[in-house]
Amino acid sequence: MEAVLAAWLASLFLGAVGLPLASGLFRRFPDGGAGFAVPLGLLAVSLPYYLLRVVDVLPPGRGGYLLAAALVAAASAALARRLRWRAGDARRLAYGAVVAASMYTGAFFAYLAFRSYNAEIAGTEQPMDLLFLNATMTSPTYPPHDPWFAGEPISYYYFGYLQAGVLSSLAGVKASIGYNVALAATFAETASGVVSLSWALARWSSRRANRQFVGVVVVTALALVLFAGSLSAVFEWAAAHERYNPTLYRAFGVDYLLPCEGRETGNCYVGATDPRTTAWYPTEYWFWWRGSRVIPGTITEFPFFSFLLGDLHPHVMALPLMTLATAVSVAVWRSRGVLDWRSIRSRPWRGLAAAAIFGALAFQNTWDVITFSALLGLATFARNARSLPYGRAAVAAAGWLVPAALAAIVLYAPWWLTFSSQASGLYPYIGEGTRPAHAFLQFGTPLLFAALGLLAFWPSRRTLGSAAVAGWLAVLPFVGWIAFAAARGELGDAAANRGTGGWVTLALFGLLTWALAKLAIALATRRSAAAPTAALGAVGVLLLYGAELFLVRDVFFGSVPRLNTVFKLSYQAWLLLGISGGVAASGLAARAFGRGRYAATNAAVARLAVAPAVILLGGALVYPVLAAFNRTEGFGRSTTIDGLAWLRAADPEEYALTHWVAAEVPADAVFLEATGRRWVRDPSGNLTVVDAGVDYTEAGRIASRTGRQTPIGWYFHEIQWRGDSEANRARFSARQDAVDDAYLASSPERVLAVMRQLGADYLVLGSLEYARYPGPFPDYDAFLDRVFESGRYRVYRLPVYREVSPP
């Protein structure tokens, strides 16, 4: 409990640090920007810490974190004294701070309580996440070393892990607890940010007489962004209790839930069927996983799934920063005065803040920087277009945006110099399109709630001009896809492969993009405060539309080509659509039941839409209820927040070995542990690899759990991070062979040669080594120093010989 309270207090400290920054950026928000205080404070401490570590000014360890936090806190206090506080601003900020702190605290403790039922860091890619967190916290030099590739820096977007390390270190908790604390903080930061932004948008776009309906946005936006899930859960629930209609299931594309008949082995359910559940909720192991894989060949993860699964991935940790970047774009649109080179010279802090926030997007999850930078550019242009002709507005916007972009590159230059992107270009997607039923199950709720804006905010005047301009936004991507596919000689195949359902989905996405863009342009030309809400919805649909037409080529191109493109873009879309949909729901409630000069027909239509919207949201909330009970086994599991408590219970000797390495082995040490490949001896006594799959196993587990370096960890993940080339494959395989030799060789000379070749000082003999190598092991005691022992588990160190002066 002390660790939880320490992490919460550290969060509030960061919020206090970030509050003056939030007030400066979001002074016109109803809460004064207080909802963004914690992510801003965390960013304000993490960026200087990173830069000062790179130039070797701050010491490694907790002292460096505390020193960086103290310096930034002093600067924040100085900024607070310099800000010109009006009485109204101060009262609004104080009220907002109380609301934001309450929201953050409630969400933080609620999620941590839920996570305590499944706190273990094991399986999926959680060992990788713990690896990066430990690396940022323990690396003696910066940029941090890659614990799974000794001697090289991390080649990944790891700023989220660095921020998690800042929070963990300020709280004084170890990484295995900090991992779960960081998940809780991410959830709470997202919740408070979504409330702040959606509250502002709803309040600005509502009539004074209907302000009582603004409360609808808080509940709806939070539900859509953080809790709503795949509608497939409704079918999962019915199928678990053997209540299904085959015709209906096939119509909605969930054939895989129908039991296989006879010798059928196709798209049908092959799990245990007697019974399929033993409780009111589905008890099949991880049934909820299918909710993120409804569209074949893709990952369509959504925030609740992410927090349920518990992988501390960059796209999850980026949620608060994406929300913050969206709020910056909205604040830019609402700002006064033209944004150009002169304004950035007169108020450089605003451009520098944008540089820090949007540069961090690239460092935290590179996929996000393009989308949200485009959103900022659109907002800047739209703001200038209120005062200038379109051409001059664009030039002025460039004068403000370009210096901010250059500053972002400079601020994060040490990371850019060590990062290697595996994206290799944009390609037309020529495979099967998404079926309408699958699109509805996966995105129907946020899409339709965003579309409610068409009922809530549609202007009474004609909007032919905006319709024409918006039409280009919907048509140009499609025309570009045709031209691109034709240039590659793939247009015929692409048209045939997409299928009838794929074309229908594409048309629906295009139509909704056009409608919401038309609404946004029409509202913007009238300077309506509802314009950003419609624009966020339009951008969200455009992301889904674009993912149906194009893909970014990466290492998955040969097997599941659009997997990452749909995954990353749909995740961004979910956030934007959820915020837009929450505000639209508030506007719909005001139009249906509020006071004002609404046409009777408009009010009647709005009332008719309320019931279907409530039913749809209720259907989307079936997923979190069922999945939460399944994940926690009916909330009947024992609780902890230590992600390695399971190891202490399952294998105390392995845990003791891990704890000793973390406590006693120097942070810059390199040690050997099993590569994860499994070797056996054939009948002739020859050694043979029978399992070369090391990813998603315990390979590299000591490096992951301690942050110390090992020569090679998960092979294919290093391929993803450093590039799939013959040279890299040869280099990684050579390291695997060398490490395996240290456990398979019979001669001490070979073991010593391997250790010296790889720069390793230590060798581990634990559970994985006994499981993966047939033995007998070399007699390490004869030529290495035994420095740890617990039962059969041991750690050896290369002897250190020192010259002795002759007597």
Side-chain angles (χ1 to χ4, degrees), residues 427-755:
Y427 286 77
Y429 175 61
I430 61 171
E432 182 180 1
T434 301
R435 291 176 56 183
H438 289 156
F440 172 74
L441 290 178
Q442 214 57 23
F443 309 120
T445 303
L447 276 173
L448 293 178
F449 264 81
L452 291 178
L454 299 171
L455 294 176
F457 305 120
W458 195 266
S460 57
R461 303 176 190 174
R462 293 184 178 181
T463 55
L464 293 178
S466 59
V469 175
W472 286 106
L473 186 64
V475 170
L476 281 178
F478 182 66
V479 173
W481 175 78
I482 291 175
F484 202 171
R488 291 178 54 83
E490 299 171 333
L491 183 58
D493 291 339
N497 293 341
R498 188 166 294 273
T500 303
W503 285 111
V504 171
T505 299
L506 192 66
L508 290 173
F509 282 164
L511 183 62
L512 189 52
T513 298
W514 169 77
L516 286 171
K518 175 179 180 291
L519 176 63
I521 295 169
L523 293 172
T525 57
R526 289 163 174 75
R527 301 192 178 186
S528 168
T533 298
L536 294 181
V539 173
V541 183
L542 183 62
L543 291 170
L544 299 179
Y545 183 42
E548 289 293 312
L549 296 170
F550 303 99
L551 60 88
V552 176
R553 180 168 181 163
D554 57 17
V555 294
F556 301 104
F557 185 75
S559 52
V560 277
R562 65 168 181 160
L563 181 142
N564 255 340
T565 302
V566 173
F567 176 17
K568 302 293 187 177
L569 296 188
S570 67
Y571 208 76
Q572 298 168 3
W574 193 282
L575 174 68
L576 296 177
L577 292 170
I579 294 170
S580 176
V583 180
S586 174
L588 184 75
R591 178 156 289 197
F593 307 111
R595 291 176 291 173
R597 292 177 299 174
Y598 299 118
T601 53
N602 290 343
V605 172
R607 292 190 192 102
L608 288 175
V610 170
V614 171
I615 293 171
L616 188 65
L617 184 58
L621 294 177
V622 169
Y623 181 95
V625 173
L626 300 182
F629 274 87
N630 179 280
R631 182 76 163 121
T632 61
E633 297 176 11
F635 293 92
R637 304 180 68 188
S638 58
T639 59
T640 180
I641 61 164
D642 187 347
L644 293 182
W646 70 271
L647 182 64
R648 182 171 56 235
D651 192 341
E653 292 180 343
E654 178 80 10
Y655 180 82
L657 187 157
T658 303
H659 179 74
W660 182 88
V661 171
E664 303 296 334
V665 174
D668 61 349
V670 177
F671 63 92
L672 302 187
E673 62 172 314
T675 63
R677 297 194 295 185
R678 190 162 70 89
W679 293 76
V680 298
R681 294 187 184 275
D682 64 20
S684 301
N686 298 315
L687 289 165
T688 305
V689 175
V690 295
D691 184 1
V694 303
D695 292 64
Y696 304 99
T697 70
E698 286 204 331
R701 88 279 190 197
I702 302 296
S704 168
R705 295 165 187 165
T706 66
R708 275 47 175 185
Q709 300 175 82
T710 196
I712 189 67
W714 286 5
Y715 175 94
F716 185 67
H717 278 68
E718 289 293 344
I719 290 287
Q720 293 179 53
W721 302 331
R722 301 182 184 276
D724 189 3
S725 66
E726 289 298 325
N728 276 345
R729 286 181 177 269
R731 189 163 55 137
F732 302 154
S733 296
R735 287 201 179 192
Q736 286 183 316
D737 292 339
V739 172
D740 286 341
D741 271 356
Y743 292 99
L744 298 171
S746 57
S747 72
E749 291 76 16
R750 178 54 185 158
V751 177
L752 293 171
V754 166
M755 295 184 72

Side-chain angles (χ1 to χ4, degrees), residues 100-388:
S102 301
M103 172 61 65
Y104 181 91
T105 298
F108 180 84
F109 283 107
Y111 179 78
L112 210 52
F114 169 76
R115 178 66 182 167
S116 69
Y117 287 95
N118 47 273
E120 61 273 8
I121 305 171
T124 63
E125 290 185 315
Q126 294 180 16
M128 178 200 82
D129 298 323
L130 182 60
L131 172 99
F132 285 136
L133 175 56
N134 266 314
T136 63
M137 293 178 67
T138 64
S139 181
T141 59
Y142 260 55
H145 60 231
D146 181 350
W148 278 347
F149 200 62
E152 296 285 344
I154 295 174
S155 180
Y156 197 54
Y157 28 83
Y158 58 87
F159 194 49
Y161 300 104
L162 191 150
Q163 293 180 83
V166 168
L167 178 59
S168 301
S169 297
L170 292 183
V173 301
K174 58 186 179 179
S176 59
I177 293 175
Y179 180 107
N180 290 318
V181 163
L183 277 171
T186 300
F187 183 83
E189 290 172 48
T190 306
S192 60
V194 165
V195 168
S196 178
L197 177 55
S198 59
W199 181 12
L201 289 170
R203 186 175 176 84
W204 293 336
S205 59
S206 65
R207 299 171 185 262
R208 186 177 297 274
N210 293 323
R211 290 282 169 84
Q212 71 268 26
F213 295 102
V214 170
V216 173
V217 75
V218 174
V219 175
T220 310
L222 281 176
L224 289 172
V225 173
L226 286 175
F227 293 97
S230 172
L231 293 169
S232 63
V234 175
F235 294 92
E236 292 272 9
W237 195 8
H241 293 281
E242 299 183 0
R243 290 180 173 86
Y244 33 69
N245 181 303
T247 302
L248 185 64
Y249 273 57
R250 292 190 179 96
F252 275 92
V254 288
D255 320 44
Y256 52 83
L257 294 177
L258 297 172
C260 298
E261 298 179 359
R263 296 185 178 181
E264 183 182 2
T265 58
N267 190 32
C268 55
Y269 182 77
V270 294
T273 57
D274 190 22
R276 287 177 73 161
T277 184
T278 57
W280 64 267
Y281 59 89
T283 54
E284 178 192 353
Y285 181 71
W286 280 26
F287 85 90
W288 41 267
W289 180 269
R290 290 190 291 263
S292 68
R293 302 297 192 276
V294 170
I295 302 173
T298 71
I299 296 174
T300 47
E301 196 169 315
F302 41 90
F304 185 85
F305 174 90
S306 304
F307 289 110
L308 180 76
L309 180 64
D311 283 8
L312 192 64
H313 273 9
H315 69 276
V316 181
M317 292 184 287
L319 278 169
L321 202 55
M322 288 193 291
T323 310
L324 175 60
T326 306
V328 169
S329 299
V330 171
V332 162
W333 188 85
R334 288 280 295 183
S335 64
R336 297 186 176 98
V338 173
L339 296 176
D340 58 8
W341 169 243
R342 289 185 296 272
S343 66
I344 208 169
R345 281 194 303 171
S346 62
R347 293 184 177 180
W349 64 269
R350 182 180 290 182
L352 188 60
I357 292 168
F358 286 82
L361 275 175
F363 195 179
Q364 188 149 342
N365 187 40
T366 308
W367 282 82
D368 297 333
V369 71
I370 298 175
T371 297
F372 291 92
S373 295
L375 193 63
L376 178 65
L378 178 64
T380 307
F381 169 76
R383 193 272 149 265
N384 287 347
R386 298 208 303 264
S387 307
L388 299 171

